[in-house]
Amino acid sequence: MHKLFALITSTAMFFSLFFPASTQATKEQDAIYEKRMELYKKAEAVSFIPWYYFAAIDQYERNVRQVRRDIPTAEGVLGIYIKPEIWAGPLNKDKNDTNPFTISQFGGLGVDGNGDGIADRKNDEDVIFAIARYLQSYGTDHEHIKIALWEYYQRSKTVDLILGKVKIYKKYGTLKLDEHAFPLPLYTNYSYKNTWGDARGWGGRRIHEGTDIFAGYGVPVRSTCYGIVELKGWNKYGGWRIGIRDINNTYHYFAHLNGFASYLHEGQIVEPGMIIGSVGSSGYGPPGTAGKFPPHLHYGMYKDNGYTEWSFDPYPHLKHWERLEKLETAKSRK
């Protein structure tokens, strides 16, 4: 009996380890992706604007909501937030107006998208059709949509982030782009600990905005996400470095590289596990400076909230990605 109990327990532990309880959560997330895509496709059908523009706007706004306290939590599957005065019209005294006729008279963005006679800015169909009509009023080609985004957000950085997501969604044709990879191959010899926030003195008093992963010269450095290469070049602090923006408005920073992958260029789409460079010791001086410290990868993460950008601790994410990749490797060997 004890042996049977031990067998059951060990089996349960095995499945919990290699097949986490997140299976149900994955199914729920897939269902949400399907609902979102259905809404994007509906907007595409009425506006003749490709679905990936709506997906990019929605994804940008969703991630802004997650890091801002001045925007209410989304109640539907979409993350797009339209301010009451924009929805109802700037001169409309009733900022909570849901009448499509009076909203139109005041030049509001709100529309009745689902045919229930109400223009509800908390209703996903109403919101996506409002965005579709707004974009369509400028035109359906890329350049006119770009102008529409600038007029709406009044921020070049936001326009660039959204259009970056457009490129990614267009290439892969799916919303399921949540996969990540550890920045170094797991078979290599490396070590790291949490160094985010430690004091740094070179170049002035500042904190360490990242995690240092020590490894030998030439060890491959990989993209940790699906994203766009925003930056590639030299910096006196980071040496040869690369910046990648993912679909979650997060900027992934790789510094002190020994060199870049020959095919890598700014504006390029990358994906998890793709080699982008190699470990080095460049930086702390003019171009070509190297060897002032042991070879390692400086890896940082920065979040954009629609106004500004700040650094946050990448260590927990690195440990999580490392663990998941080890689990995937173990499963593939079974």
Side-chain angles (χ1 to χ4, degrees):
M1 185 67 179
H2 290 293
K3 289 183 178 180
L4 178 60
F5 178 79
L7 177 61
I8 293 173
T9 303
S10 62
T11 302
M13 289 179 64
F14 173 85
F15 276 94
S16 66
L17 181 63
F18 292 103
F19 302 94
S22 60
T23 302
Q24 182 60 34
T26 301
K27 289 181 179 179
E28 292 174 358
Q29 186 61 57
D30 287 345
I32 291 174
Y33 283 145
E34 289 179 10
K35 290 179 181 178
R36 287 175 185 160
M37 183 62 83
E38 182 182 345
L39 289 165
Y40 304 152
K41 289 288 188 177
K42 283 183 178 180
E44 178 183 69
V46 300
S47 67
F48 301 104
I49 295 172
W51 67 269
Y52 37 80
Y53 284 95
F54 301 108
I57 293 169
D58 184 34
Q59 182 69 1
Y60 169 80
E61 295 239 1
R62 177 177 303 104
N63 283 277
V64 165
R65 279 202 189 210
Q66 292 173 354
V67 294
R68 291 261 294 274
R69 295 182 178 180
D70 60 327
I71 303 177
T73 303
E75 297 183 16
V77 298
L78 298 185
I80 299 173
Y81 173 72
I82 302 176
K83 295 179 180 179
E85 60 271 22
I86 302 298
W87 183 267
L91 299 179
N92 193 338
K93 293 183 179 180
D94 183 6
K95 300 305 178 185
N96 296 312
D97 194 357
T98 60
N99 186 315
F101 176 75
T102 54
I103 288 175
S104 66
Q105 295 301 299
F106 284 104
L109 217 63
V111 297
D112 172 22
N114 60 1
D116 64 356
I118 299 173
D120 183 1
R121 65 188 183 90
K122 295 182 180 180
N123 179 276
D124 285 336
E125 285 191 83
D126 291 357
V127 168
I128 201 69
F129 277 94
I131 294 297
R133 190 178 71 169
Y134 170 77
L135 295 179
Q136 191 182 41
S137 69
Y138 283 81
T140 59
D141 63 280
H142 182 79
E143 288 304 315
H144 283 94
I145 293 173
K146 186 176 180 179
I147 294 171
L149 291 173
W150 162 250
E151 292 293 340
Y152 186 79
Y153 290 103
Q154 296 286 304
R155 183 178 182 244
S156 296
K157 180 85 169 180
T158 294
V159 176
D160 290 341
L161 294 183
I162 291 174
L163 294 182
K165 299 181 202 310
V166 167
K167 288 177 63 177
I168 297 172
Y169 284 130
K170 181 180 181 180
K171 176 175 180 177
Y172 293 103
T174 180
L175 302 178
K176 297 178 66 175
L177 300 172
D178 303 318
E179 181 185 349
H180 287 87
F182 190 74
L184 302 185
L186 297 187
Y187 61 80
T188 59
N189 185 20
Y190 64 86
S191 64
Y192 68 105
K193 62 181 180 179
N194 193 351
T195 56
W196 188 84
D198 287 357
R200 289 292 184 269
W202 196 86
R205 295 185 64 182
R206 54 196 176 90
I207 68 166
H208 188 230
E209 296 182 344
T211 294
D212 289 335
I213 307 175
F214 290 88
Y217 282 106
V219 170
V221 172
R222 310 184 299 173
S223 172
T224 52
C225 60
Y226 289 97
I228 300 284
V229 177
E230 275 192 9
L231 176 148
K232 173 193 171 189
W234 179 272
N235 175 279
K236 66 179 180 180
Y237 300 113
W240 299 116
R241 81 271 197 253
I242 295 169
I244 297 172
R245 181 77 58 177
D246 70 14
I247 60 170
N248 297 317
N249 301 349
T250 301
Y251 183 73
H252 302 247
Y253 182 68
F254 307 77
H256 305 315
L257 300 176
N258 196 46
F260 308 117
S262 60
Y263 46 76
L264 198 74
H265 58 84
E266 290 185 4
Q268 181 177 346
I269 296 176
V270 294
E271 53 191 56
M274 180 178 176
I275 295 176
I276 57 175
S278 60
V279 173
S281 61
S282 61
Y284 284 11
T289 305
K292 292 189 173 183
F293 44 78
H296 67 278
L297 170 69
H298 168 95
Y299 178 74
M301 297 178 75
Y302 299 79
K303 179 67 72 174
D304 184 275
N305 68 355
Y307 290 135
T308 186
E309 192 168 69
W310 72 92
S311 167
F312 63 95
D313 188 0
Y315 182 78
H317 298 273
L318 290 169
K319 296 298 290 186
H320 179 63
W321 300 336
E322 181 184 38
R323 182 181 66 85
L324 288 182
E325 195 166 338
K326 285 180 177 179
L327 290 175
E328 288 298 322
T329 301
K331 282 197 293 183
S332 66
R333 291 174 179 172
K334 293 294 179 179

